[in-house]
Amino acid sequence: MHASNEGYPHRPDEPLDAYSTIVTQVAAALTPSVASLRVRTRRGAGAGSAVVFTDDGFLLTSAHVVEGLLGGGGAPVGLAQFADGTEREFDVVGADPLSDLAVLRARGATPRAAVLGDAAGLRVGQLVVAVGNPLGLTGSVTAGVVSALGRSLPTRAGSAVRVVDEVIQTDAALNPGNSGGALSTADARVIGINTAVAGVGLGLAVPVNAATRKILAALMRYGRVRRAYLGVAGVRVPLPPAVAERTRQSHGVRLAEVVVDSPAGGAGLFTGDLVLSLDRVPIVTPADLQRLLTEATIGRAVELTVWRRGAMVDVIVVPRELVTT
């Protein structure tokens, strides 16, 4: 005789229970490593979240959470509170508004560090768990799926404008205060830093990947990220059939603006030029160009190949360091 399941909503081996098990395991593993931030800015009191990512007290958060913090004179700029009740004052080690990432350092011991993963392996539909402090509610956990990949997030620092690439879109519930919190896979590895609430049922996270790790290393070492500057703005356009056949690429970047007195302007680039490659690396989108303008290209001559009035033209440009003030 088999025991009846009547009156029970589900058996332990049903999918809902498996889903709940994963989420509770991630919550148990990750919640201790996520802090609720209290900060003082020029606009008044603020809040957000941060993730401990080293055993010696470095925390990762969103740059906009710590923008305009009031400190000085050696005073800490905020307070981090953890789910176990631990409170630590913290300082800002470095912030990069153009990637919306910042590194903090706690004054004193912190709970264990979370493990950083790699968003490069994510798939649409994959389960993700968000841990943060929405509306000041410490240690809140929500779950959902990866709704889309490859989104772009415009950012600004002073007069500089940039686009964060490969942003993760999720339907895990995010609310004010979640910014700087963790987005995790089912194995409790942090693959995103929640950065924006785009609408009802729609959240965005900056991915943790190879590019992110370079930014974190620069912030920890120098307190800032150095980037190269050309002084152009462009849009992705299809290449003329003859050019596409010759280059074996379908699109390029048409320059919509060339800033006067910029490296690009001084080198002889013009509005309407169709950029095909930089140092022989194909340029298909503005993000491709942006991605190649790294610290290593500052002050070094690079070769831009453009299509201009029916001819291939090679232009030598020397990028300057991007100044964001």
Side-chain angles (χ1 to χ4, degrees):
M1 179 179 292
H2 296 284
S4 171
N5 286 316
E6 185 176 354
Y8 291 88
H10 61 275
R11 300 193 313 272
D13 60 346
E14 288 182 341
L16 178 61
D17 191 71
Y19 174 90
S20 299
T21 298
I22 291 172
V23 175
T24 54
Q25 288 175 343
V26 172
L30 205 52
T31 298
S33 308
V34 179
S36 173
L37 301 184
R38 298 290 180 271
V39 298
R40 294 180 298 109
T41 73
R42 297 181 183 89
R43 298 184 299 273
S49 305
V51 183
V52 181
F53 70 101
T54 73
D55 290 330
D56 53 351
F58 284 95
L59 293 88
L60 175 58
T61 188
S62 299
H64 71 265
V65 170
V66 295
E67 181 183 3
L69 290 193
L70 297 176
V77 296
L79 184 70
Q81 182 180 46
F82 295 90
D84 65 357
T86 299
E87 292 186 347
R88 291 289 182 262
E89 295 175 328
F90 68 84
D91 302 287
V92 177
V93 175
D96 181 41
L98 294 178
S99 65
D100 199 20
L101 294 172
V103 172
L104 317 176
R105 183 74 181 270
R107 296 189 175 187
T110 59
R112 65 175 182 265
V115 178
L116 298 185
D118 188 354
L122 283 180
R123 296 183 179 181
V124 173
Q126 185 172 340
L127 170 67
V128 286
V129 180
V131 182
N133 306 285
L135 307 174
L137 302 173
T138 303
S140 295
V141 177
T142 59
V145 299
V146 175
S147 304
L149 293 167
R151 299 301 195 204
S152 296
L153 179 69
T155 56
R156 177 182 291 273
S159 60
V161 178
R162 190 174 184 268
V163 173
V164 180
D165 297 319
E166 305 302 327
V167 170
I168 305 163
Q169 178 184 321
T170 176
D171 66 353
L174 301 178
N175 290 287
N178 267 118
S179 285
L183 188 70
S184 159
T185 49
D187 59 358
R189 292 180 179 270
V190 178
I191 43 75
I193 298 299
N194 300 317
T195 188
V197 181
V200 177
L202 181 62
L204 300 175
V206 173
V208 173
N209 53 26
T212 303
R213 292 173 187 274
K214 290 179 181 179
I215 290 171
L216 296 185
L219 291 176
M220 293 171 72
R221 186 170 183 179
Y222 305 113
R224 64 191 181 97
V225 177
R226 299 181 71 212
R227 292 187 177 88
Y229 169 71
L230 280 184
V232 298
V235 293
R236 180 177 185 260
V237 296
L239 297 182
V243 181
E245 182 178 357
R246 181 173 173 180
T247 61
R248 296 185 179 180
Q249 64 189 73
S250 59
H251 290 75
V253 173
R254 187 177 300 282
L255 298 185
E257 179 183 3
V258 177
V259 178
V260 177
D261 295 330
S262 69
L269 285 166
F270 299 99
T271 300
D273 282 348
L274 186 53
V275 179
L276 304 175
S277 67
L278 188 153
D279 281 348
R280 306 303 176 186
V281 178
I283 300 297
V284 177
T285 69
D288 292 335
L289 189 58
Q290 172 182 284
R291 194 177 299 115
L292 292 172
L293 293 174
T294 63
E295 179 179 359
T297 61
I298 298 172
R300 178 175 69 83
V302 298
E303 183 181 78
L304 279 175
T305 300
V306 303
W307 181 256
R308 178 189 298 165
R309 300 190 189 95
M312 294 276 196
V313 179
D314 292 329
V315 180
I316 303 300
V317 188
V318 180
R320 297 198 299 259
E321 182 174 356
L322 175 65
V323 178
T324 59
T325 55

PDB file of all heavy atoms in Angstrom, residues 80-94:
ATOM      1  N   ALA A  80      29.096  49.982   6.570  1.00  0.00           N
ATOM      2  CA  ALA A  80      28.630  48.726   5.979  1.00  0.00           C
ATOM      3  C   ALA A  80      28.104  47.842   7.092  1.00  0.00           C
ATOM      4  O   ALA A  80      28.790  47.597   8.081  1.00  0.00           O
ATOM      5  CB  ALA A  80      29.776  48.029   5.249  1.00  0.00           C
ATOM      6  N   GLN A  81      26.875  47.369   6.913  1.00  0.00           N
ATOM      7  CA  GLN A  81      26.260  46.488   7.908  1.00  0.00           C
ATOM      8  C   GLN A  81      25.975  45.141   7.268  1.00  0.00           C
ATOM      9  O   GLN A  81      25.392  45.068   6.184  1.00  0.00           O
ATOM     10  CB  GLN A  81      24.969  47.088   8.450  1.00  0.00           C
ATOM     11  CG  GLN A  81      24.303  46.227   9.524  1.00  0.00           C
ATOM     12  CD  GLN A  81      23.024  46.850  10.048  1.00  0.00           C
ATOM     13  OE1 GLN A  81      22.204  47.306   9.259  1.00  0.00           O
ATOM     14  NE2 GLN A  81      22.858  46.869  11.354  1.00  0.00           N
ATOM     15  N   PHE A  82      26.357  44.051   7.947  1.00  0.00           N
ATOM     16  CA  PHE A  82      26.188  42.708   7.420  1.00  0.00           C
ATOM     17  C   PHE A  82      25.032  41.994   8.105  1.00  0.00           C
ATOM     18  O   PHE A  82      24.549  42.422   9.154  1.00  0.00           O
ATOM     19  CB  PHE A  82      27.488  41.923   7.584  1.00  0.00           C
ATOM     20  CG  PHE A  82      28.626  42.475   6.771  1.00  0.00           C
ATOM     21  CD1 PHE A  82      29.468  43.447   7.307  1.00  0.00           C
ATOM     22  CD2 PHE A  82      28.845  42.056   5.474  1.00  0.00           C
ATOM     23  CE1 PHE A  82      30.507  43.979   6.556  1.00  0.00           C
ATOM     24  CE2 PHE A  82      29.878  42.577   4.717  1.00  0.00           C
ATOM     25  CZ  PHE A  82      30.717  43.549   5.258  1.00  0.00           C
ATOM     26  N   ALA A  83      24.618  40.896   7.493  1.00  0.00           N
ATOM     27  CA  ALA A  83      23.445  40.169   7.976  1.00  0.00           C
ATOM     28  C   ALA A  83      23.626  39.632   9.386  1.00  0.00           C
ATOM     29  O   ALA A  83      22.647  39.450  10.120  1.00  0.00           O
ATOM     30  CB  ALA A  83      23.118  39.023   7.020  1.00  0.00           C
ATOM     31  N   ASP A  84      24.881  39.369   9.802  1.00  0.00           N
ATOM     32  CA  ASP A  84      25.111  38.844  11.156  1.00  0.00           C
ATOM     33  C   ASP A  84      25.190  39.946  12.203  1.00  0.00           C
ATOM     34  O   ASP A  84      25.490  39.682  13.373  1.00  0.00           O
ATOM     35  CB  ASP A  84      26.381  37.991  11.181  1.00  0.00           C
ATOM     36  CG  ASP A  84      27.652  38.796  10.902  1.00  0.00           C
ATOM     37  OD1 ASP A  84      27.536  40.012  10.634  1.00  0.00           O
ATOM     38  OD2 ASP A  84      28.748  38.212  10.945  1.00  0.00           O
ATOM     39  N   GLY A  85      24.946  41.196  11.775  1.00  0.00           N
ATOM     40  CA  GLY A  85      24.984  42.321  12.703  1.00  0.00           C
ATOM     41  C   GLY A  85      26.302  43.053  12.739  1.00  0.00           C
ATOM     42  O   GLY A  85      26.412  44.123  13.352  1.00  0.00           O
ATOM     43  N   THR A  86      27.330  42.505  12.090  1.00  0.00           N
ATOM     44  CA  THR A  86      28.633  43.182  12.028  1.00  0.00           C
ATOM     45  C   THR A  86      28.497  44.523  11.317  1.00  0.00           C
ATOM     46  O   THR A  86      27.855  44.619  10.277  1.00  0.00           O
ATOM     47  CB  THR A  86      29.656  42.316  11.266  1.00  0.00           C
ATOM     48  OG1 THR A  86      29.828  41.084  11.955  1.00  0.00           O
ATOM     49  CG2 THR A  86      30.998  43.028  11.151  1.00  0.00           C
ATOM     50  N   GLU A  87      29.109  45.554  11.876  1.00  0.00           N
ATOM     51  CA  GLU A  87      29.135  46.871  11.249  1.00  0.00           C
ATOM     52  C   GLU A  87      30.582  47.322  11.101  1.00  0.00           C
ATOM     53  O   GLU A  87      31.377  47.186  12.028  1.00  0.00           O
ATOM     54  CB  GLU A  87      28.356  47.893  12.075  1.00  0.00           C
ATOM     55  CG  GLU A  87      26.852  47.641  12.098  1.00  0.00           C
ATOM     56  CD  GLU A  87      26.107  48.768  12.797  1.00  0.00           C
ATOM     57  OE1 GLU A  87      26.763  49.600  13.463  1.00  0.00           O
ATOM     58  OE2 GLU A  87      24.868  48.814  12.662  1.00  0.00           O
ATOM     59  N   ARG A  88      30.904  47.833   9.918  1.00  0.00           N
ATOM     60  CA  ARG A  88      32.251  48.315   9.661  1.00  0.00           C
ATOM     61  C   ARG A  88      32.198  49.635   8.903  1.00  0.00           C
ATOM     62  O   ARG A  88      31.468  49.762   7.913  1.00  0.00           O
ATOM     63  CB  ARG A  88      33.041  47.297   8.819  1.00  0.00           C
ATOM     64  CG  ARG A  88      33.383  46.011   9.552  1.00  0.00           C
ATOM     65  CD  ARG A  88      34.444  46.250  10.607  1.00  0.00           C
ATOM     66  NE  ARG A  88      34.815  45.004  11.292  1.00  0.00           N
ATOM     67  CZ  ARG A  88      34.329  44.613  12.459  1.00  0.00           C
ATOM     68  NH1 ARG A  88      33.424  45.375  13.077  1.00  0.00           N
ATOM     69  NH2 ARG A  88      34.723  43.490  13.022  1.00  0.00           N
ATOM     70  N   GLU A  89      32.971  50.617   9.373  1.00  0.00           N
ATOM     71  CA  GLU A  89      33.158  51.831   8.590  1.00  0.00           C
ATOM     72  C   GLU A  89      34.000  51.479   7.371  1.00  0.00           C
ATOM     73  O   GLU A  89      34.776  50.511   7.390  1.00  0.00           O
ATOM     74  CB  GLU A  89      33.855  52.895   9.432  1.00  0.00           C
ATOM     75  CG  GLU A  89      33.011  53.363  10.614  1.00  0.00           C
ATOM     76  CD  GLU A  89      33.752  54.313  11.514  1.00  0.00           C
ATOM     77  OE1 GLU A  89      35.005  54.162  11.626  1.00  0.00           O
ATOM     78  OE2 GLU A  89      33.126  55.198  12.122  1.00  0.00           O
ATOM     79  N   PHE A  90      33.829  52.255   6.299  1.00  0.00           N
ATOM     80  CA  PHE A  90      34.601  51.948   5.089  1.00  0.00           C
ATOM     81  C   PHE A  90      35.079  53.215   4.401  1.00  0.00           C
ATOM     82  O   PHE A  90      34.546  54.311   4.609  1.00  0.00           O
ATOM     83  CB  PHE A  90      33.780  51.091   4.113  1.00  0.00           C
ATOM     84  CG  PHE A  90      32.601  51.799   3.484  1.00  0.00           C
ATOM     85  CD1 PHE A  90      32.763  52.603   2.356  1.00  0.00           C
ATOM     86  CD2 PHE A  90      31.326  51.664   4.009  1.00  0.00           C
ATOM     87  CE1 PHE A  90      31.696  53.257   1.780  1.00  0.00           C
ATOM     88  CE2 PHE A  90      30.245  52.313   3.439  1.00  0.00           C
ATOM     89  CZ  PHE A  90      30.426  53.108   2.314  1.00  0.00           C
ATOM     90  N   ASP A  91      36.091  53.037   3.565  1.00  0.00           N
ATOM     91  CA  ASP A  91      36.631  54.098   2.721  1.00  0.00           C
ATOM     92  C   ASP A  91      36.488  53.675   1.261  1.00  0.00           C
ATOM     93  O   ASP A  91      36.434  52.476   0.950  1.00  0.00           O
ATOM     94  CB  ASP A  91      38.111  54.327   3.032  1.00  0.00           C
ATOM     95  CG  ASP A  91      38.338  54.674   4.494  1.00  0.00           C
ATOM     96  OD1 ASP A  91      38.006  55.801   4.893  1.00  0.00           O
ATOM     97  OD2 ASP A  91      38.844  53.802   5.234  1.00  0.00           O
ATOM     98  N   VAL A  92      36.443  54.651   0.373  1.00  0.00           N
ATOM     99  CA  VAL A  92      36.404  54.364  -1.060  1.00  0.00           C
ATOM    100  C   VAL A  92      37.834  54.272  -1.568  1.00  0.00           C
ATOM    101  O   VAL A  92      38.599  55.228  -1.479  1.00  0.00           O
ATOM    102  CB  VAL A  92      35.634  55.455  -1.835  1.00  0.00           C
ATOM    103  CG1 VAL A  92      35.679  55.167  -3.337  1.00  0.00           C
ATOM    104  CG2 VAL A  92      34.187  55.537  -1.357  1.00  0.00           C
ATOM    105  N   VAL A  93      38.204  53.106  -2.088  1.00  0.00           N
ATOM    106  CA  VAL A  93      39.538  52.899  -2.651  1.00  0.00           C
ATOM    107  C   VAL A  93      39.619  53.499  -4.048  1.00  0.00           C
ATOM    108  O   VAL A  93      40.598  54.129  -4.423  1.00  0.00           O
ATOM    109  CB  VAL A  93      39.874  51.393  -2.694  1.00  0.00           C
ATOM    110  CG1 VAL A  93      41.210  51.142  -3.389  1.00  0.00           C
ATOM    111  CG2 VAL A  93      39.874  50.811  -1.294  1.00  0.00           C
ATOM    112  N   GLY A  94      38.578  53.304  -4.835  1.00  0.00           N
ATOM    113  CA  GLY A  94      38.535  53.834  -6.191  1.00  0.00           C
ATOM    114  C   GLY A  94      37.171  53.617  -6.798  1.00  0.00           C
ATOM    115  O   GLY A  94      36.462  52.672  -6.448  1.00  0.00           O
TER     116      GLY A  94
END
